[in-house]
Amino acid sequence: MSEQLDKLVLQAAFDREQRHPDRVFMTQPVKGQAIDYSWGETMDQARRMAAHLRSLDLPPNSNIALISKNCAHFIMAELAIWMAGHCTVALYPTLNADTVEYILGHSESRLLFLGKLDDWDHMKAGVPADMPIIALPLAPANDYAKWDEVIAGVEPIADNPQWPADQRALICYTSGSTGRPKGVAHSFGSISAPASLQGTVLDITEADRIISYLPLAHVM
């Protein structure tokens, strides 16, 4: 196990950025077209958003929420949150306003990334009026700060932060179908182990492509 965890997930991303900056990392379908994001471009955008998050001077390891269906910028936002030393809280994109309000309050989330959604109008009532929101490129029409505009105004962080394996990386909340959602905290170690071992068990190599189907908010 210790051999498998030679690199935690964030360090693995830095490694890919350095070794394969021009290799396609993610392909995002948009209106019938496929948009490719290389490791270099992905990490540049994440580094710029991390610089913005650092500028907010939030307490270390603050919780930052994400509400979005699967999309490339979900991953970029998560990488940025981790680079800035914070913890991600991903909400299911099908929740009602009451549950959204509960999770944001219970987790004490400091900021929200809003992404690709089908029913934002029925969810946004659960978001506190004073909560800062940054809209990802595929977010519903809104008047919030836009991802592209935010990263255009900052320089990317130049360092490769490395956090302890036991530092909290994400909180995964249950759906709440049997009561209030319960949040399960995962460390960088606990998310890196299955990611690393899955590749070994399934014999996945860097040449393989994977379709993202299961919701990222469901701890995938």
Side-chain angles (χ1 to χ4, degrees):
M1 177 71 75
S2 61
E3 191 173 69
Q4 296 293 338
L5 288 182
D6 205 32
K7 288 189 184 74
L8 298 177
V9 62
L10 189 54
Q11 277 57 57
F14 292 140
D15 176 72
R16 295 298 191 281
E17 175 191 28
Q18 180 179 17
R19 293 195 295 117
H20 307 300
D22 298 322
R23 178 178 290 177
V24 174
F25 171 32
M26 295 181 287
T27 299
Q28 173 72 56
V30 179
K31 296 181 180 179
Q33 295 185 334
I35 300 177
D36 289 333
Y37 294 97
S38 67
W39 274 104
E41 182 178 359
T42 294
M43 296 297 281
D44 179 74
Q45 291 200 36
R47 285 178 177 279
R48 289 174 184 275
M49 184 54 70
H52 173 71
L53 295 177
R54 284 181 177 180
S55 74
L56 302 180
D57 290 326
L58 301 174
N61 210 206
S62 290
N63 294 328
I64 296 179
L66 276 161
I67 304 180
S68 178
K69 297 170 68 176
N70 291 13
C71 63
H73 281 82
F74 185 115
I75 299 294
M76 294 183 201
E78 191 151 52
L79 288 168
I81 291 168
W82 290 340
M83 288 181 194
H86 300 308
C87 172
T88 67
V89 181
L91 282 69
Y92 296 2
T94 54
L95 297 178
N96 59 37
D98 179 64
T99 306
V100 169
E101 181 179 18
Y102 173 77
I103 294 177
L104 293 178
H106 183 264
S107 65
E108 299 182 345
S109 291
R110 300 296 188 114
L111 180 146
L112 171 66
F113 283 102
L114 171 67
K116 184 180 180 182
L117 291 172
D118 294 327
D119 203 15
W120 172 237
D121 287 341
H122 289 87
M123 302 175 74
K124 63 183 178 182
V127 179
D130 60 347
M131 173 165 282
I133 298 176
I134 297 175
L136 306 184
L138 295 181
N142 64 81
D143 57 1
Y144 308 124
K146 304 296 189 292
W147 174 282
D148 289 340
E149 295 173 1
V150 171
I151 66 171
V154 292
E155 292 298 315
I157 66 169
D159 58 314
N160 295 347
Q162 183 167 343
W163 311 113
D166 61 356
Q167 178 167 311
R168 193 177 71 247
L170 64 86
I171 301 176
C172 182
Y173 276 84
T174 60
S175 63
S177 56
T178 58
R180 286 297 194 186
K182 284 83 174 174
V184 179
H186 287 272
S187 67
F188 281 104
S190 71
I191 65 172
S192 299
S196 177
L197 292 172
Q198 185 181 56
T200 302
V201 171
L202 299 180
D203 196 26
I204 297 173
T205 73
E206 291 189 14
D208 292 317
R209 301 300 303 275
I210 297 173
I211 294 177
S212 174
Y213 176 75
L214 292 176
L216 291 168
H218 288 225
V219 87
M220 275 302 294

